[in-house]
Each structure stands twice: as structure tokens, then as C-alpha cells.
């Protein structure tokens, strides 16, 4: 069973069964994207070339699909047009990526970059709605690292493959990071920061311990579905961390579980739950949520929001909650 991210990318995906277009985004698709954005900005081809310090022929080659558009060049063009790279990536309907018979997409493929962008979201500063997921820029190096780690795994990636994905030189990568490990650590920090503010906000919505547990589980499960790329490297690549970073990131993950455990203990004290072991229950529910990347992939009929609601119901059943249906109905009608 698969789920579909609630993102601008979902509307542009091919239908299931392989009946829609299966080719990856081509230079022609990227060129059409650039040309449309330039015309909407009322800018001539020559002026755009001047602003990004290339020849008019180079811009023409991009717009006519005769050359690959790298992420770095896309950033330059977007800035010259008063836009951002995510805006350009998300403001166009792209064909579906290649299917299994075609092999994996190239890391510089715009469709892959757009797919990854659709899984990113607002950081904690000033954020208030934990259910809302919006694309944000994390920079070409982290974006490329995320895409490559998802595609090849951490140990299959190199600084050069990340540089190629970002459209940069290897030396250019080292202006942004110290190593491949540094990229992994920064991605995991980004993931845990994003998860932590969401679970705090979710728990604060509850007025009883049972409500807080339901909201925490819903939030955690939805996060691991919506942020599938981040969730995958959290699940698969913690083992690749050096000892100090491993201990720190695991401490952040343990804090999430202990937050849930404390709410379960409060629910037992209030008489809402009859579980005999709040600690074991918290571990089981947390594992249920964090293991989502083992089976979840974007592209199916179940949204991350629906996954969150279903997991919340399963968690309440595990805790032997009294009147779970009424509890969930009250939360969802209020939300």
C-alpha cells in the first residue's frame, strides 16, 4: 500500500499503472519552464543572459532544450527573474519520472529535484501549524545530498556525485561543507528540528493526555510519510554517523519517544489507558511510525494526513483507549 504526499507535486504525477508519460524531465521541459518564467517577467533573452553573465546563445540553448539545466544555473536564472528556484520548480507541470524499466533518474533531473522539494517544509521559527508542509530551499548542496543519499544510500554516494547533482565542482562543494559526513549530519539535524517543533505543537493542542497521545502519533506518522526522504535517511543512515553525532541525534530521537511515553503515563493516571507498560507501548508506537519508510513510497492513494489519522487510531487501540472513536472525532472536527 502506498501513499501520496500532499504537495504541489502530487497533482502533476502520472496515474497508477504506467499509462501516463514515463520519460524523465528532459532539457526541453526545463527549457520551457525557463522560457515561460522569462516571458512572464517581461524580460528579453538578451537581458536574462546579461544578468546571469552568460551569452544569449547559452540562454537560447537552455530554452530550446539543447543543454541540461543544472540546479545552480536554475538558481541563477530564478534570482535574475525575481523568483526562487523552488518557485520555478513547483510552478510547472512536469511529466512523471522514469519507471523501473528505464532505470533511476539522473541526479540533475529537474523532476527529481522537484520531488525532493515537495517533501521539505517550514522550519521551526515562527511556524504554528504542524499539519502544514510547504516547500523551502535548503541550498543546492543539502538538496543534492538528500537526493543522492535517497537514490544510492550514504555509502554509495561520493562528494563527486553530490557535486554533480548540485551542478557544482567538487571544490565548490567544500565551500559549503567539510565532508560527505557533514552533509549527512546537517540533513539529520534539519529533519529532527523539523520533527521536534511539530510534535511539540501537536501535543500542545491536546487538552487531555489521551488527546495529546493521539495528536503526537498523528503528527509523527504524518511527518514520516510527508517527509519520506528525510525519514528514510533517519531510518537507514544513523549507522553511518560518527560516535559523537550518533549519540546526539539518537538523544533527539529518544526525546521524541519520551515525550510520547510521558503522555501515555499521564493517560494511564487519568484512567484513559489501561496499558500495563507505558514505556514498552511508547517504544512500539514510535517504531511503528519510524518504520514507515520501509514500505511507504510516494505515488499511491493514501495521503500522509490519512496515514497520520489511521496510525493515531491504531495507537489508541494498542493502549486500550476507552471511546477512541469519540476522541478522534472531536479532534478532527476541531482541526
Amino acid at each position: 500500500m502506498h501513499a501520496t504526499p500532499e504537495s504541489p507535486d502530487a497533482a502533476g504525477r502520472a496515474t497508477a499503472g504506467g499509462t501516463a508519460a514515463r520519460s524523465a524531465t528532459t532539457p526541453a521541459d526545463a527549457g520551457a519552464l525557463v522560457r515561460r518564467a522569462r516571458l512572464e517577467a517581461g524580460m528579453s533573452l538578451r537581458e536574462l543572459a546579461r544578468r546571469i553573465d552568460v551569452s544569449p546563445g547559452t540562454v537560447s540553448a537552455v530554452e530550446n532544450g539543447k543543454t541540461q539545466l543544472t540546479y545552480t544555473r536554475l538558481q541563477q536564472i530564478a534570482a535574475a527573474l525575481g523568483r526562487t528556484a523552488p518557485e520555478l520548480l513547483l510552478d510547472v507541470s512536469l511529466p512523471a519520472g522514469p519507471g523501473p524499466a528505464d532505470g533511476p533518474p539522473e541526479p540533475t533531473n529537474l523532476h527529481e529535484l522537484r520531488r525532493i522539494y515537495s517533501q521539505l517544509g517550514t522550519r521551526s521559527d515562527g511556524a504554528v501549524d504542524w499539519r502544514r508542509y510547504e516547500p523551502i530551499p535548503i541550498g543546492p548542496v543539502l538538496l543534492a545530498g538528500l537526493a543522492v543519499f535517497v537514490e544510492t544510500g550514504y555509502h554509495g554516494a561520493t562528494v563527486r556525485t553530490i557535486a554533480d547533482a548540485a551542478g557544482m565542482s567538487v571544490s565548490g562543494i567544500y565551500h559549503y561543507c567539510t565532508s560527505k559526513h557533514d552533509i549527512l549530519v546537517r540533513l539529520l539535524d534539519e529533519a529532527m528540528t523539523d520533527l521536534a517543533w511539530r510534535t511539540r505543537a501537536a501535543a500542545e493542542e491536546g487538552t487531555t493526555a489521551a488527546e495529546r497521545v493521539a495528536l503526537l502519533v498523528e503528527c509523527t506518522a504524518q511527518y514520516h510519510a510527508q517527509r519520506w526522504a528525510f525519514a528514510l535517511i533517519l531510518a537507514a543512515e544513523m549507522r553511518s554517523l560518527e560516535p559523537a553525532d550518533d549519540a546526539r541525534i539518537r538523544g533527539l530521537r529518544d526525546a521524541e519517544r519520551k515525550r510520547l511515553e510521558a503522555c501515555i503515563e499521564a493517560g494511564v493516571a487519568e484512567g484513559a489507558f489501561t496499558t500495563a507498560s507505558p514505556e514498552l507501548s511508547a517504544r512500539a508506537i514510535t517504531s511503528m511510525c519510524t518504520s514507515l519508510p520501509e514500505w511507504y513510497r510516494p505515488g499511491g492513494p493514501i495521503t500522509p494526513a490519512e496515514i497520520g489519522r489511521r496510525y493515531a487510531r491504531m495507537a489508541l487501540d494498542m493502549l486500550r483507549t476507552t471511546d477512541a472513536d469519540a476522541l478522534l472525532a472531536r479532534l478532527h472536527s476541531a482541526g
Side-chain angles (χ1 to χ4, degrees):
M1 181 162 51
H2 302 296
T4 302
E6 293 177 316
S7 70
D9 192 44
R13 289 190 178 277
T15 56
T19 58
R22 295 178 61 82
S23 61
T25 303
T26 65
D29 298 317
L33 180 156
V34 170
R35 177 177 173 80
R36 188 177 77 177
R38 176 177 64 78
L39 293 176
E40 288 177 352
M43 187 178 298
S44 70
L45 184 149
R46 188 172 296 277
E47 176 60 17
L48 177 58
R50 185 189 69 77
R51 293 191 183 192
I52 65 174
D53 196 25
V54 300
S55 69
T58 297
V59 175
S60 178
V62 168
E63 291 191 355
N64 291 316
K66 294 180 179 179
T67 186
Q68 176 71 47
L69 179 63
T70 65
Y71 179 72
T72 298
R73 179 58 51 80
L74 180 66
Q75 282 190 310
Q76 294 170 343
I77 291 172
L81 297 175
R83 306 279 294 278
T84 67
E87 286 174 343
L88 291 186
L89 284 169
L90 295 171
D91 189 31
V92 67
S93 295
L94 300 180
D102 302 307
E106 291 295 327
T108 53
N109 182 287
L110 280 180
H111 190 283
E112 178 70 2
L113 292 177
R114 180 183 176 184
R115 182 182 70 80
I116 295 298
Y117 260 118
S118 74
Q119 297 166 9
L120 303 181
T122 53
R123 290 185 175 89
S124 57
D125 294 344
V128 292
D129 187 355
W130 60 267
R131 295 177 179 84
R132 184 172 180 178
Y133 288 80
E134 294 180 341
I136 60 168
I138 59 172
V141 175
L142 292 187
L143 175 64
L146 183 61
V148 172
F149 292 159
V150 167
E151 185 66 36
T152 69
Y154 177 79
H155 291 292
T158 65
V159 173
R160 177 163 294 282
T161 58
I162 294 171
D164 289 343
M168 300 171 65
S169 66
V170 171
S171 60
I173 290 288
Y174 287 114
H175 286 293
Y176 294 89
C177 65
T178 59
S179 63
K180 181 178 72 168
H181 182 265
D182 182 33
I183 294 173
L184 177 63
V185 170
R186 288 163 65 181
L187 285 170
L188 294 179
D189 277 331
E190 179 80 28
M192 291 308 304
T193 298
D194 192 24
L195 175 61
W197 80 257
R198 291 179 186 277
T199 53
R200 283 195 300 268
E204 288 171 0
E205 285 187 10
T207 58
T208 66
E211 288 181 356
R212 288 191 288 274
V213 167
L215 289 164
L216 272 173
V217 176
E218 180 178 346
C219 177
T220 304
Q222 181 175 346
Y223 178 89
H224 283 79
Q226 182 73 51
R227 294 286 190 268
W228 176 80
F230 275 132
L232 180 65
I233 61 172
L234 273 169
E237 303 301 350
M238 292 280 290
R239 62 190 177 185
S240 303
L241 291 172
E242 294 175 359
D245 290 306
D246 178 65
R248 183 174 57 79
I249 299 295
R250 288 187 188 281
L252 295 174
R253 299 196 78 179
D254 286 345
E256 292 299 315
R257 175 180 52 78
K258 290 175 181 178
R259 190 200 312 275
L260 176 62
E261 182 180 336
C263 290
I264 294 174
E265 289 176 343
V268 171
E270 292 175 4
F273 307 141
T274 58
T275 178
S277 176
E279 180 183 3
L280 185 59
S281 297
R283 289 184 182 278
I285 293 168
T286 299
S287 296
M288 181 174 73
C289 294
T290 58
S291 65
L292 270 163
E294 294 182 8
W295 62 265
Y296 169 83
R297 294 296 184 276
I302 305 177
T303 67
E306 178 62 22
I307 288 176
R309 290 190 289 269
R310 292 189 185 187
Y311 270 52
R313 176 54 198 259
M314 287 190 289
L316 293 176
D317 288 343
M318 290 171 62
L319 297 170
R320 303 172 188 172
T321 310
T322 58
D323 210 4
D325 287 336
L327 186 156
L328 292 173
R330 183 169 63 253
L331 289 178
H332 295 150
S333 63

